[in-house]
């Protein structure tokens, strides 16, 4: 069931105690957080994604004024067809398929104009596809992107993943002078599991001047304005103090992650159990 709670008095208050393990410092921290649930989609009604929360990016990018390939020479055409995006058995399923013409179709859904938020915890429980050339992502984009084109609007990649590296995900930010291949990014690697064989929770906790990245409540990266200054030699600008909307997609091919190869089997699916946002 989808719900957006606009009145904070009605919000579900949850007090949680998490144990965070830092990958940079060999230490464990226990942190108590107070979160108000303001939006959730539990995907428990089969059919099309809830139209009160989700809309679609369609085509090959040219409809958005980009070069064909979404500015990255990607191979997929995004559709709203049920064969590419559907809610089934309590899961959002985004499916990348090879078409009869030799191209690919997939889906990219977004909350633009329907749900946007500045700061908070954004999380989703996801099982990812596998194969060279697949690039699923759970990410946020500044809601002023139409007036303030990327990367000036800012981009927060809660999770992105290359299908031929099934134990690794990335958390990244993009902004002025640190975008595309020059984004500020860090890997998180599983040691006894794979992202394509089991579900994992990917999240950020975003506050003024800080974005913390988590996999299964393990803190593995913290980005601040000082991080951007250091990584860009003073040329980058912090652009993460406005409302952002959510995007979920599975891209195929492109400069990153490269094209599918003979070992990539289609169709490939990303399964999303839920998306939840707290403030």
């Amino acid at each position: 069931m989808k719900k957006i709670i606009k009145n904070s008095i009605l919000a579900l208050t949850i007090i949680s105690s998490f144990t965070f393990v830092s990958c940079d410092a060999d230490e464990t921290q226990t942190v108590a957080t107070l979160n108000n649930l303001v939006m959730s989609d539990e995907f428990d009604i089969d059919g099309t994604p809830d139209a009160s929360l989700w809309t679609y990016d369609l085509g090959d990018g040219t409809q958005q004024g980009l070069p064909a390939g979404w500015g990255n020479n990607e191979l997929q055409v995004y559709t709203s067809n049920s064969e590419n995006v559907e809610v089934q058995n309590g899961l959002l399923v985004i499916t990348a398929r090879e078409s009869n013409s030799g191209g690919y179709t997939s889906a990219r859904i977004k909350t633009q104009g329907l749900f946007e938020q500045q700061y908070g915890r954004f999380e989703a429980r996801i099982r990812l596809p596998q194969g060279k050339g697949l690039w699923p992502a759970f990410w946020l984009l500044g809601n002023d992107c139409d007036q303030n084109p990327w990367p000036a609007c800012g981009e927060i990649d809660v999770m992105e993943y290359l299908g031929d590296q099934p134990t690794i995900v990335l958390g990244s930010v993009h902004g002025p002078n640190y975008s595309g291949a020059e984004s500020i990014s860090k890997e998180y690697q599983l040691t006894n599991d794979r992202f394509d064989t089991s579900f994992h929770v990917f999240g950020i906790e975003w506050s003024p001047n800080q974005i913390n990245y988590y996999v299964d409540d393990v803190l593995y990266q913290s980005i601040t304005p000082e991080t951007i200054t250091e990584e860009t030699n003073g040329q980058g600008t912090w652009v993460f103090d406005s409302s952002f909307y959510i995007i979920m997609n599975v891209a195929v091919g492109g400069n990153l992650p490269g094209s599918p190869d003979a070992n990539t089997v289609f169709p490939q699916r990303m399964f999303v159990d839920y998306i939840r946002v707290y403030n």
Side-chain angles (χ1 to χ4, degrees):
M1 179 178 64
K2 179 272 298 178
K3 55 183 167 182
I4 299 177
I5 306 172
K6 295 184 178 179
N7 187 334
S8 61
I9 296 175
L10 300 177
L12 173 64
T13 300
I14 299 174
I15 300 177
S16 306
S17 179
F18 298 113
T19 299
F20 300 138
V21 179
S22 170
C23 295
D24 292 326
D26 186 16
E27 60 183 13
T28 300
Q29 297 176 305
T30 300
V31 179
T33 60
L34 178 66
N35 295 320
N36 294 322
L37 182 66
V38 294
M39 186 278 277
S40 70
D41 199 337
E42 306 298 322
F43 303 112
D44 56 2
I45 299 177
D46 286 358
T48 58
D50 191 318
S52 70
L53 185 58
W54 300 103
T55 184
Y56 304 87
D57 276 325
L58 300 173
D60 62 1
T62 55
Q63 294 87 340
Q64 285 71 26
L66 298 171
W70 295 92
N72 182 46
N73 295 312
E74 294 164 20
L75 304 176
Q76 82 286 336
V77 172
Y78 288 129
T79 85
S80 58
N81 299 335
S82 60
E83 65 179 11
N84 294 121
V85 56
E86 190 173 21
V87 178
Q88 302 174 353
N89 302 317
L91 299 170
L92 170 69
V93 185
I94 297 180
T95 304
R97 297 182 179 274
E98 190 169 16
S99 66
N100 294 332
S101 63
Y104 302 91
T105 61
S106 187
R108 175 162 142 170
I109 66 172
K110 59 185 182 178
T111 65
Q112 185 179 20
L114 300 171
F115 176 80
E116 296 144 353
Q117 179 166 295
Q118 179 180 355
Y119 310 138
R121 179 176 175 90
F122 294 72
E123 67 176 24
R125 185 172 183 263
I126 303 172
R127 195 180 93 194
L128 295 165
Q130 190 273 331
K132 173 67 176 174
L134 296 168
W135 186 19
F138 164 37
W139 50 299
L140 314 179
L141 196 63
N143 69 347
D144 62 345
C145 59
D146 290 337
Q147 299 77 35
N148 196 24
W150 186 91
C153 62
E155 175 182 330
I156 303 171
D157 298 320
V158 183
M159 178 282 301
E160 55 184 337
Y161 161 92
L162 306 182
D164 59 344
Q165 299 179 34
T167 63
I168 296 172
V169 292
L170 299 164
S172 310
V173 292
H174 303 250
N177 296 310
Y178 54 98
S179 62
E182 303 301 320
S183 66
I184 297 172
S185 184
K186 187 172 183 178
E187 294 182 351
Y188 178 87
Q189 184 164 10
L190 294 174
T191 55
N192 297 305
D193 199 359
R194 292 163 57 116
F195 290 112
D196 63 321
T197 57
S198 60
F199 283 87
H200 294 269
V201 178
F202 306 98
I204 59 164
E205 290 189 352
W206 168 29
S207 57
N209 297 322
Q210 189 161 13
I211 305 171
N212 290 337
Y213 285 77
Y214 303 90
V215 175
D216 299 324
D217 289 323
V218 176
L219 172 65
Y220 72 97
Q221 175 171 222
S222 183
I223 294 176
T224 67
E226 290 74 23
T227 307
I228 291 171
T229 297
E230 292 171 3
E231 293 288 335
T232 65
N233 294 317
Q235 300 304 304
T237 304
W238 178 267
V239 288
F240 306 106
D241 291 316
S242 61
S243 294
F244 280 54
Y245 62 89
I246 300 169
I247 304 173
M248 306 284 295
N249 71 295
V250 178
V252 181
N255 302 333
L256 181 75
S259 296
D261 62 20
N263 296 317
T264 307
V265 177
F266 288 91
Q268 286 288 331
R269 296 176 174 88
M270 177 168 72
F271 299 96
V272 185
D273 183 24
Y274 62 75
I275 296 176
R276 297 172 184 164
V277 181
Y278 306 81
N279 65 15

